[in-house]
Amino acid sequence: MGSYQGGATLEWWANRSTCLGEFDVLVSVRVADGNWACDAELGPGCLPDEHREVFDLLMDLDPIFTLRFDEGSEILVNVLRAGDGEHLALTAYEPREQVD
């Protein structure tokens, strides 16, 4: 795969049964220097104010979202704001090992 662009949904889950937010995004995935790079744009335009407030609150609580592609596959990602706030940088979430 050289690149991919298409629709997806960012979901923020409080637990395995409670999703507190779903946000439509347009994702662009590409290979750069042997690694993948992914960015997203929130919806076709700006989010309504009430959805923006929810998104901002969830980002402040924990920027780990489930990225669900339209065909059904999903991956946990860290979300970072980029530029004007409508653009996001996504990286694969890798949980830290717990030290006992």
Side-chain angles (χ1 to χ4, degrees), residues 85-96:
E86 298 300 318
H87 292 84
L88 308 168
L90 310 179
T91 57
Y93 172 70
E94 297 180 18
R96 296 183 195 164

Side-chain angles (χ1 to χ4, degrees), residues 68-74:
R68 186 177 312 280
F69 292 94
D70 288 345
E71 92 291 338
S73 64
E74 63 184 57

Side-chain angles (χ1 to χ4, degrees), residues 38-67:
C38 183
D39 53 60
E41 188 173 336
L42 286 169
C46 297
L47 288 174
D49 287 342
E50 62 273 7
H51 289 110
R52 167 61 68 189
E53 290 175 11
V54 171
F55 181 79
D56 290 342
L57 173 65
L58 296 174
M59 282 285 293
D60 290 342
L61 288 173
D62 191 354
I64 299 170
F65 287 75
T66 298
L67 178 62

